[in-house]
Amino acid sequence: MQSVHTPPELRSAFDAHFGTPAPALFVLSPGRINLIGEHIDYNNLSVLPMAIGRHVRLLVRPRADARVRIASLSAGFGAREFLLGREIPPYPVGDWGNYVKAAVQALARTHDGLHGFDAALDSTLPVAAGLSSSSALVIGVALALLGANGRTWDAVALAEEMAKAERYTGTQGGGMDQAICAGAVEGTASRVDFAPLRITPVPVPTDWRFVVAHSLSRAEKSGGAQATYNRRTVECREALSLVETRLTRGGSSGRGYRELLATYSAGELVEIGEQVLDGDLRKRFRHVVTEADRVRRAEVALRGSDLATFGTLLSASHVRLRDDYEVSSTALDELVAIADAAGAAGARLTGAGMGGCIIATAPARDVEGVLDHLRTEFYVPRAPAGPLGDHLFLADPAGGARVVELGQ
Ligand code: NG1
């Protein structure tokens, strides 16, 4: 039995809500930064995320019945309680409990005879920051349920199942977040390929640093941001279909972006897009095909410890996300500009955008300068509430979600 230090405040919350006996499991489920490959996972194109050492954490006690009770320590979240089953009615749109129900309903459909659990939950990840707190919660709940029932799982299969499951909340997401959360290996980023899902660890050079800086505006996955996100997935499909129709002279080929990129270079596809598409669709298409190419080159740079090339690709990604995909914001652009001017090798928004965080990369010897500039030029004038370390921090490559059995 592995002994582990569980957070005392989480243990107190568990005891206050659920009394004795003590929790039996501790689940740690990481957030992530996406190094590069933004808004292309739902087009089945490869991406390069990295799990970070900030987590959704659950203390869990199995139950003998089908009830799930979960209490969050995060301010304003409260507790949720429902019955496990194959058809679980959702809470109102935007309720955090829907991420819990998403995982539980999906597993109830594929696993017979599951019992529920009681859990206290907290997070060292900022919420709605584009750091995948939602998928960390979904995967964390899945591990809590499987662990409480003594079931085993395969990280890749679970990630695939939970990517579909999370659509219960209304976001038509790709599978990047669930994959990196379930399948990350410490010390590495991962190339994630889709259809079928594959997770290939790529070591991160030990002298590379990744700064995470929050724009102080939330990247809400409900309401307007969710609608924009879902609209982008439709625009990508429309652009693809128009390009394919032209390339096959009206015949329907059923090919995807990946097949197009295997036949044509990104540059050729940009030209084809210019002939076939107008307005927004032309811009969305240009981002997608050039971003896929940047991911491929960024993986080569990462494997070759070539931070200058890697950083240039990150910065180019941000420009396309800002100008073509239109998911940046004034604050995100400002953070990127400050990081660039402070000597970062590259910087870009990470995650879905429309608020949330940027990442900036720099060699270890330069990173203090980047942090200093961000601190003095962005955060000091805005004086955000709470410790600065909640908004500005370094991210190290962490391992995937895990369950620890607690000794009594
Ligand atoms: P975040 O940043 O966690 O909202 C979303 C999607 C990803 C991916 C990115 C953009 C979900 C759960 N996550 O991430 O699949 O499409 O946006 O690259 O939908």
Side-chain angles (χ1 to χ4, degrees):
M1 189 126 344
Q2 192 178 349
S3 86
V4 69
H5 169 76
T6 55
E9 64 283 11
L10 191 58
R11 182 57 201 265
S12 308
F14 184 96
D15 293 346
H17 272 276
F18 305 118
T20 52
L25 305 171
F26 182 44
V27 177
L28 279 165
S29 186
R32 61 103 186 93
I33 52 177
N34 185 17
L35 302 187
I36 194 159
E38 216 63 86
H39 283 281
I40 60 171
D41 59 344
Y42 46 78
N43 296 313
N44 280 342
L45 294 170
S46 307
V47 295
L48 199 58
M50 178 182 109
I52 64 176
R54 292 191 171 222
H55 299 90
V56 166
R57 309 184 295 193
L58 297 112
L59 276 176
V60 183
R61 183 175 69 198
R63 294 180 63 92
D65 61 14
R67 195 162 292 280
V68 172
R69 299 193 297 172
I70 185 159
S72 170
L73 264 71
S74 302
F77 278 54
R80 298 289 181 273
E81 179 172 341
F82 61 92
L83 286 178
L84 184 155
R86 298 169 69 91
E87 290 296 336
I88 304 177
Y91 295 116
V93 175
D95 191 294
W96 70 272
N98 283 333
Y99 293 97
V100 183
K101 287 184 166 181
V104 171
Q105 175 180 280
L107 291 173
R109 289 178 178 182
T110 52
H111 293 69
D112 287 331
L114 290 179
H115 294 149
F117 62 86
D118 293 332
L121 161 80
D122 75 355
S123 176
T124 56
L125 273 167
V127 174
L131 302 180
S132 189
S133 59
S134 67
S135 299
L137 176 55
V138 170
I139 295 284
V141 167
L143 261 54
L145 183 60
L146 293 168
N149 284 275
R151 309 288 173 100
T152 56
W153 60 90
D154 168 75
V156 172
L158 183 71
E160 252 178 334
E161 194 177 356
M162 289 304 119
K164 291 194 196 100
E166 196 170 327
R167 298 192 184 138
Y168 177 95
T169 63
T171 304
Q172 298 303 311
M176 164 172 70
D177 297 348
Q178 300 82 2
I180 192 67
C181 177
V185 175
E186 197 176 340
T188 70
S190 292
R191 190 189 74 231
V192 180
D193 307 310
F194 301 96
L197 183 65
R198 275 175 305 160
I199 304 171
T200 308
V202 184
V204 175
T206 50
D207 61 338
W208 289 24
R209 295 289 176 274
F210 292 98
V211 174
V212 179
H214 198 298
S215 65
L216 305 178
S217 88
R218 288 162 69 95
E220 284 298 352
K221 277 312 245 345
S222 55
Q226 188 182 69
T228 302
Y229 183 95
N230 289 343
R231 192 162 60 245
R232 291 289 181 277
T233 68
V234 174
E235 289 167 339
C236 287
R237 283 200 296 275
E238 283 174 8
L240 176 66
S241 151
L242 288 167
V243 167
E244 283 187 328
T245 304
R246 172 67 69 87
L247 290 174
T248 57
R249 297 194 174 75
S252 156
S253 68
R255 292 188 301 182
Y257 280 97
R258 203 168 51 193
E259 290 72 18
L260 278 186
L261 280 152
T263 312
Y264 303 94
S265 71
E268 286 167 340
L269 286 172
V270 169
E271 276 177 32
I272 293 168
E274 266 156 31
Q275 291 158 24
V276 178
L277 305 168
D278 299 313
D280 287 349
L281 291 192
R282 179 189 284 185
K283 293 197 285 185
R284 309 302 186 242
F285 186 79
R286 182 163 55 202
H287 167 71
V288 170
V289 296
T290 59
E291 184 77 349
D293 189 52
R294 284 187 288 274
V295 171
R296 193 182 52 72
R297 291 193 281 152
E299 184 187 346
V300 174
L302 182 57
R303 289 187 186 277
S305 297
D306 179 356
L307 184 56
T309 302
F310 189 84
T312 304
L313 291 164
L314 260 58
S315 298
S317 169
H318 184 78
V319 170
R320 293 283 135 240
L321 288 161
R322 184 191 65 200
D323 297 347
D324 284 350
Y325 223 68
E326 297 178 287
V327 289
S328 191
S329 69
T330 313
L332 288 167
D333 294 344
E334 191 181 334
L335 284 166
V336 164
I338 295 170
D340 280 344
R348 58 183 289 277
L349 71 84
T350 193
M354 302 167 275
C357 294
I358 68 144
I359 53 166
T361 186
R365 64 173 184 277
D366 294 343
V367 77
E368 271 311 318
V370 176
L371 287 165
D372 260 0
H373 278 263
L374 288 166
R375 210 176 283 134
T376 51
E377 289 166 42
F378 191 85
Y379 295 103
V380 169
R382 289 169 175 81
L388 183 61
D390 288 354
H391 312 298
L392 179 67
F393 55 89
L394 288 176
D396 292 323
R402 64 197 173 102
V403 178
V404 181
E405 285 185 32
L406 301 173
Q408 298 304 310

